[in-house]
Amino acid sequence: MTTQETPEGSGTEEYDAVVLAGGAARRLGGVDKPGVRIGGRAMLDRVLGACAGAAVTVVVADPRTTARPVVWAREEPPGAGPVAALDAGLRRSTAARVVVLSADLPFLEEGTVRRLLDGLRTSGAEGALLTDAEGRDQPLVAAYRSAALRRELARLSGEHTGLDGLPLRRLVARLGLTRISDPVASFDCDTWDDIATARSRIREHGHVLDEWISAVKDELGIDLDVDTGVLLDLARDAAHGVARPAAPLTTFLVGYAAARTQGGPEAVAEAARKAADLALRWADKDAVEAEPDAG
């Protein structure tokens, strides 16, 4: 499981996450939808990154390799539908609040999860969910009070002698909900056209660098947030002040130096500062030596 302390003053208390990743994906021809890659990252890994602050993250599906450690659960019988899957995931959760997510949300971010949790906290509602571009509720992009979900699950189970095959709207129909409009974060991938749209958007200039850095970190198993602006400035200084090939080599050496000290973002920033200062001194020295003698 993944544990992360909440920064003081953030207003966000501990929460668990339940990610439903076991659907049949019939509209995609039965393909493994959570494993479909958008921008080089599996959609499931994207969702797991968005809920990285959860004390426990439960994925309801058959186990697979993921970029972050999770707890696995499975509804009984497998394929019994989202309500049964949510019940199975909630049984592995102990937090008073739970974020419930589907595994096909390519644009979900940590900031969205925080907005849901803050909306739940400030509204006093039993659930806070996103609405899509058409204003439709998205109950699988939501934060709930766990006690309210358990109450409704027990009610449905009693009324229907089990949860097999029940639609999700039956579960949330009696909950007191607050809604947050976010057409981007609520975008899910049900068809190949949806996937093509997501892949195209990921490649847009304003997103591509962040997407690439996230994909590389997932691929290398790195969980480290650094100021990419500092590294880009360092690369520019090294390229201009020394030589163009110095840019990638210098940033590599900065990362290596930080890793040797087992440091985090602060170590990267300090090593980058030292290297940038050196690049500027190097450029100044070259400029002085290039000046003709005054006499």
Side-chain angles (χ1 to χ4, degrees):
M1 66 183 67
T2 302
T3 302
Q4 178 175 318
E5 293 185 2
T6 302
E8 287 192 23
S10 70
T12 302
E13 302 166 1
E14 182 178 274
Y15 72 96
D16 288 345
V18 174
V19 181
L20 307 190
R26 293 183 180 88
R27 296 171 70 184
L28 291 173
V31 73
D32 173 28
K33 184 163 68 167
V36 171
R37 291 181 174 267
I38 306 289
R41 302 166 66 201
M43 283 198 285
L44 175 56
D45 285 335
R46 287 179 167 276
V47 172
L48 294 180
C51 59
V56 174
T57 299
V58 184
V59 178
V60 186
D62 292 330
R64 67 177 68 209
T65 300
T66 55
R68 293 180 180 273
V70 302
V71 174
W72 296 98
R74 201 69 168 106
E75 73 274 21
E76 289 293 340
V83 174
L86 178 52
D87 179 64
L90 202 59
R91 291 177 185 275
R92 308 298 297 271
S93 166
T94 58
R97 301 184 305 165
V98 59
V99 172
V100 177
L101 305 167
S102 61
D104 61 348
L105 301 164
F107 303 118
L108 188 69
E109 297 179 346
E110 284 190 85
T112 310
V113 171
R114 287 194 296 270
R115 286 175 61 205
L116 288 168
L117 290 165
D118 287 344
L120 183 66
R121 176 177 55 85
T122 59
S123 69
E126 294 177 314
L129 52 75
L130 293 192
T131 57
D132 64 15
E134 284 73 41
R136 294 172 298 198
D137 288 352
Q138 300 297 312
L140 293 183
V141 200
Y144 298 99
R145 300 190 188 279
S146 301
L149 282 182
R150 290 190 171 96
R151 181 194 71 219
E152 292 304 299
L153 286 166
R155 177 184 64 81
L156 285 177
S157 182
E159 290 177 355
H160 298 274
T161 319
L163 302 172
D164 192 349
L166 294 180
L168 203 58
R169 65 178 181 274
R170 294 270 189 91
L171 177 65
V172 301
R174 298 190 187 184
L175 294 178
L177 300 172
T178 187
R179 293 165 174 84
I180 300 171
S181 176
D182 194 330
V184 175
S186 63
F187 181 89
D188 57 2
C189 291
D190 290 327
T191 68
W192 286 113
D193 284 345
D194 293 337
I195 290 171
T197 298
R199 286 172 171 166
S200 176
R201 183 181 177 87
I202 289 296
R203 295 189 182 98
E204 291 176 3
H205 179 71
H207 302 277
V208 68
L209 185 57
D210 288 341
E211 290 294 338
W212 170 246
I213 295 300
S214 296
V216 171
K217 289 195 295 186
D218 277 359
E219 191 70 20
L220 300 181
I222 299 171
D223 188 10
L224 177 68
D225 290 324
V226 297
D227 189 339
T228 54
V230 169
L231 295 178
L232 289 172
D233 288 344
L234 168 61
R236 179 202 62 208
D237 292 341
H240 290 174
V242 183
R244 189 178 299 274
L249 293 172
T250 304
T251 53
F252 164 77
L253 291 171
V254 162
Y256 182 74
R260 285 193 65 185
T261 65
Q262 297 183 341
E266 297 81 6
V268 174
E270 177 62 15
R273 182 192 64 77
K274 291 180 178 179
D277 288 346
L278 176 61
L280 293 175
R281 294 199 305 271
W282 186 288
D284 289 343
K285 178 183 176 183
D286 282 353
V288 170
E289 291 178 349
E291 291 179 1
D293 292 337

